[in-house]
Amino acid sequence: MAGAALLGRLTWLAAEVVDAVQETPRVRTLVLDADGWAGHRAGQHVDVRLTAEDGYQAESSYSIASAPGEPLAITVEELEDGEVSPYLVGEVVDGDRFEIRGPIGGYFVWDGSDEAPVLLIAGGSGVVPLVSMIRHRARIGSRAPTRLLYSSRSYEDIIYRAELDEPADGLEVFHTLTRSQPSGWTGYARRIDAEMLDEVAWPMDDDPRVFICGSTRFVDTAADGLVAMGYPALSIRTERFGATG
Ligand SMILES: Cc1cc2nc3c(=O)[nH]c(=O)nc-3n(C[C@H](O)[C@H](O)[C@H](O)COP(=O)(O)OP(=O)(O)OC[C@H]3O[C@@H](n4cnc5c(N)ncnc54)[C@H](O)[C@@H]3O)c2cc1C
């Protein structure tokens, strides 16, 4: 398989945790220093491999949260009963080391090489690679008009909330909170649906770049909604985190 062959060429690198930021009660960002890291593109991910003292190994994939050129960072949501995420969110401390492999992915990437409008749709931790794109957009001074539609369960679950509250010029952020909303909430308060997509999505004639990321069900719903609006399926790039996310 081509994918397996490509992964085979990537070496596992020792990565050291140099900083950790609690983003929400269940989500933490880890800044990593990995010897031999060659840099990445916005939207790519890494594989993380943990090795226990008895040699048992567990692996999971994590999108890169930082922009190209910034220190490598991943943002992890803790899943109950998980093998990898509870360790990364709840146990790791500065100076701890584990292995990473990457960067991985050449399709779910945005380099900012043109100024076509960008539509980013995120569910939960699916916002991670899209924020890498937003950070990259700011760093390169791109003027591509960009909209982020971001679905979270509650206000407290919004990852990178302070950063998204102060968007750069030309970036619009639309939140929807699906389970609970603080009093006075003026954003959306339901799951993403056709009416919401119609209000937020760029007209197809503008030839937008579309990236959707989140759980498999979330991604499928959002992509199906855009296709129903007339977006060609092939114009929509998706990243599925699995049943969770
Ligand atoms: C390309 C890619 C990028 C990703 N980026 C991020 C990211 O930036 N941040 C982030 O937090 N996560 C991300 N994920 C998800 C991440 O890889 C793990 O799936 C997640 O952290 C759970 O791993 P774990 O080892 O803790 O849990 P596991 O041991 O794998 O499972 C934990 C629990 O969740 C359930 N579960 C987990 N995955 C599934 C599934 N697919 N189907 C059904 N049940 C499941 C299991 O039943 C189990 O009880 C990404 C996934 C992919 C494929």
Side-chain angles (χ1 to χ4, degrees), residues 25-156:
R26 296 170 57 225
V27 175
R28 195 153 78 136
T29 292
L30 301 177
V31 182
L32 306 174
D33 182 14
D35 272 351
W37 179 253
H40 71 280
R41 298 164 71 192
Q44 290 185 304
H45 66 274
V46 292
D47 289 339
V48 169
R49 183 165 73 179
L50 307 180
T51 305
E53 276 174 19
D54 65 2
Y56 177 78
Q57 293 188 319
E59 270 178 53
S60 273
S61 303
Y62 294 98
S63 300
I64 300 169
S66 42
E70 291 178 337
L72 175 64
I74 57 174
T75 300
V76 182
E77 176 180 12
E78 179 168 0
L79 293 186
E80 270 176 44
D81 306 328
E83 287 196 303
V84 177
S85 61
Y87 175 75
L88 297 179
V89 176
E91 293 186 40
V92 150
V93 294
D94 287 8
D96 281 352
R97 296 167 82 83
F98 49 78
E99 290 173 293
I100 64 167
R101 176 171 70 174
I104 300 167
Y107 152 82
F108 195 82
V109 293
W110 183 78
D111 293 321
S113 48
D114 62 39
E115 299 206 331
V118 181
L119 176 62
L120 308 172
I121 303 181
S125 55
V127 75
V128 177
L130 308 185
V131 157
S132 173
M133 295 176 193
I134 286 171
R135 291 171 170 169
H136 181 53
R137 176 185 180 278
R139 276 175 69 91
I140 64 173
S142 164
R143 291 201 306 253
T146 301
R147 288 180 179 163
L148 169 66
L149 175 58
Y150 178 16
S151 176
S152 307
R153 276 171 289 225
S154 72
Y155 187 72
E156 292 71 31

Side-chain angles (χ1 to χ4, degrees), residues 193-194 197 219-231 236:
D193 57 22
L197 290 173
V219 169
D220 289 344
T221 304
D224 288 351
L226 289 177
V227 169
M229 285 171 62
Y231 275 66
I236 302 170

Side-chain angles (χ1 to χ4, degrees), residues 162-190:
E163 181 176 344
L164 294 175
D165 275 350
E166 295 190 358
D169 276 358
L171 168 65
E172 295 169 274
V173 179
F174 302 83
H175 288 284
T176 186
L177 300 181
T178 55
R179 289 200 194 157
S180 66
Q181 305 80 31
S183 64
W185 176 249
T186 53
Y188 293 112
R190 59 185 198 272

